[in-house]
């Protein structure tokens, strides 16, 4: 997989994870998705942050 393709996939996965996290957080706040524990939302958020950090490392440090 080329660097630009991997970077694109990481950026897209970051957007998807962050979008899911925000939408689930809002739906949980409205009381629609009350069965979902807060830990799941935190795991999604930390997964998005981890993907963003990995994307940054991949862009700056891995040249080949």
């Amino acid at each position: 997989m080329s660097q630009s393709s991997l970077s694109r996939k990481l950026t897209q996965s970051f957007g998807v994870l962050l979008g899911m996290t925000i939408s689930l957080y809002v739906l949980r706040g409205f009381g629609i998705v009350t069965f979902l524990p807060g830990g799941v939302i935190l795991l999604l958020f930390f997964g998005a942050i981890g993907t963003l950090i990995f994307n940054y490392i991949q862009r700056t440090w891995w040249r080949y």
Side-chain angles (χ1 to χ4, degrees):
M1 189 178 289
S2 69
Q3 185 176 1
S4 64
S5 175
L6 179 62
S7 177
R8 189 176 320 117
K9 289 198 182 296
L10 286 172
T11 304
Q12 287 175 351
S13 63
F14 167 72
V16 167
L17 281 174
L18 191 63
M20 284 175 44
T21 304
I22 291 172
S23 63
L24 284 175
Y25 184 74
V26 168
L27 288 175
R28 188 169 181 249
F30 285 143
I32 297 172
V33 188
T34 57
F35 61 88
L36 194 67
V40 173
I41 295 174
L42 278 176
L43 284 175
L44 283 171
F45 179 71
F46 287 139
I49 297 299
T51 305
L52 183 66
I53 291 171
F54 185 69
N55 188 15
Y56 173 75
I57 290 171
Q58 186 267 337
R59 281 186 182 185
T60 57
W61 292 347
W62 294 349
R63 298 293 179 200
Y64 304 106

